[in-house]
Amino acid sequence: MAGANIFSKVLAVGETATPTNAVGPPIYQTSVYAFDDVEAMDDLLHHPRTGFTYSRGRNPNADALATFIAELEGTEAALVTSSGTAALLTAILTLRPAGGRILLPLEVYGGTVNIVHKLLEPLGYTPVRVDVRDAAAVEAALTDEPAVLALETISNPLGWVPELDRLIALAHARNIPVLVDNTFATPYHAEPARWGADLVVHSVTKFIAGHSDVILGVVAGSAERVRAAAEIVDGGGFTPDPFAAWLALRGARTLALRMERASQNALTLARALEPMPAIVRTYYPGLAGHPDHVHAERLLQRGYGAIVTLSLAGGPKAVRELVAGLRWVRLVPSLGDLTTTVAHPTPPTKSPDGRPRPASSPFIDGGQLRISVGIDAVDEVVEDFRGALASIS
Ligand SMILES: *Cc1c(COP(=O)(O)O)cnc(C)c1O
């Protein structure tokens, strides 16, 4: 049976009972299920969460992954969605179905900005950007109007770590529900439900699945909230494919091992790069010089995650040269792979109609390079960066 230790917990998922005693979980690659009689079918169609009828609503592989993530996040329930983006949209619609204010950090995942500004604003929601690193600013934004507060455990790309416990308490004092995107921290480093988060969201695509082979998301929280979320996922068709859920669960079983290694590697890499002259600043919450290091120490467990961002003295040109100089670290517009990859956070451009696009972060200046540190041999990663930095003219 599963121990309480996270390394045992992640191994326990293979212990699912199956009719054949299979050690590896079977894949239920089916869209629909057959019934013995009309009564049994009608009964299940009226109580969809009690069994399996049609895979848009429920599938055993998605259920197994959801149970696993709920266990790691310490929530009553969880629900897998077709993407992290679908999970974010589902969480907002679950917590605020009828419009209202959506309070977002100044620096937030670009897809969240897109959902809130492009999809939800025309439907009557009002986006409000707040500096979540300033509790007084958050308190001022928490008026009595209906709202939802959307937070992230570790921000992209600069690794801000807001005081989530304090902010969640402030929101709850005003009856404002809170969702936390925990993608960058993963449950290995943080369990936001402990601080009262009403829904915890992940892009499972990234560290939880961990092998760059699926697009998936998850929403975790109380059984009641997850039931409400399930109506949106079924009704909106934000459902995962069974094979994707199976792959993600296979990946998730090594989450603790991968995060242990990747976050150690990230700290080593950040410390090695920080003193280099071509780098103005190294952003990693595990470095004593990071502005949120004190919060990271207090709130994160077992390390500080796998994302390190460099700000280069030579600006965008130096970023292009550094990327060109890397011998085997690849340029990938995502994160959370087994290997170390880099991405280039881009400053906001104008929309085709000439209006400025809402920024995912006012701190992005084109001279930054985001590194998603993998489980590779860190000495070789450091060496690749040293060589590439030396090639900057
Ligand atoms: C990638 C990402 C998402 C969106 O997830 P998809 O699976 O790509 O839809 C949401 N939040 C964060 C922090 C992410 O990095």
Side-chain angles (χ1 to χ4, degrees), residues 83-389:
S83 67
T85 306
L88 282 164
L89 179 56
T90 299
I92 294 169
L93 295 175
T94 302
L95 297 175
R96 280 248 54 84
R101 301 160 78 231
I102 307 178
L103 309 179
L104 286 186
L106 286 182
E107 173 160 291
V108 68
Y109 173 66
T112 311
V113 172
N114 199 44
I115 291 171
V116 169
H117 286 266
K118 275 218 198 116
L119 274 67
L120 294 179
E121 196 174 0
L123 300 178
Y125 290 82
T126 310
V128 179
R129 300 296 281 273
V130 327
D131 183 356
V132 297
R133 298 170 63 228
D134 176 352
V138 174
E139 199 161 14
L142 295 168
T143 63
D144 286 328
E145 288 171 72
V148 56
L149 175 60
L151 298 170
E152 295 176 348
T153 327
I154 304 176
S155 79
N156 173 19
L158 298 189
W160 306 132
V161 179
E163 289 190 276
L164 288 192
D165 52 349
R166 245 179 112 187
L167 302 185
I168 293 169
L170 286 174
H172 284 176
R174 296 275 190 172
N175 284 321
I176 290 172
V178 182
L179 77 86
V180 177
D181 184 333
N182 199 30
T183 301
F184 273 41
T186 82
Y188 183 74
H189 293 304
E191 297 144 65
R194 284 197 191 187
W195 305 316
D198 298 281
L199 285 175
V200 178
V201 169
H202 281 275
S203 171
V204 171
T205 312
K206 313 289 170 52
F207 297 106
I208 291 183
H211 293 67
S212 299
D213 52 7
V214 293
I215 300 280
L216 279 180
V218 73
V219 177
S222 69
E224 192 187 337
R225 298 264 199 222
V226 170
R227 252 195 312 278
E231 300 227 344
I232 294 166
V233 168
D234 186 2
F238 306 150
T239 315
D241 177 73
F243 182 49
W246 184 90
L247 279 170
L249 183 54
R250 180 189 165 102
R253 294 183 69 191
T254 55
L255 175 69
L257 269 181
R258 286 184 286 105
M259 292 315 292
E260 179 183 49
R261 167 81 171 219
S263 71
Q264 278 169 3
N265 281 355
L267 185 59
T268 305
L269 181 70
R271 284 186 176 149
L273 297 181
E274 195 183 21
M276 304 201 55
I279 298 168
V280 187
R281 183 128 195 204
T282 302
Y283 293 90
Y284 182 63
L287 291 177
H290 189 282
D292 289 348
H293 180 62
V294 174
H295 302 158
E297 281 239 277
R298 184 170 74 80
L299 295 168
L300 303 181
Q301 56 194 4
R302 309 184 188 104
Y304 307 91
I307 304 297
V308 177
T309 295
L310 309 178
S311 180
L312 298 181
K317 179 172 161 285
V319 169
R320 279 193 296 276
E321 289 174 354
L322 197 164
V323 170
L326 288 167
R327 293 210 327 271
W328 52 270
V329 171
R330 286 182 295 176
L331 177 66
V332 167
S334 185
L335 53 105
D337 186 52
L338 292 174
T339 65
T340 299
T341 62
V342 293
H344 176 210
T346 47
T349 50
K350 288 204 161 68
S351 301
D353 62 10
R355 290 191 311 168
R357 278 186 216 271
S360 68
S361 166
F363 310 112
I364 295 175
D365 62 13
Q368 292 145 349
L369 189 74
R370 188 188 70 200
I371 310 168
S372 172
V373 183
I375 62 170
D376 10 33
V378 71
D379 295 353
E380 291 177 355
V381 176
V382 170
E383 204 184 290
D384 204 12
F385 277 97
R386 269 194 221 284
L389 283 162

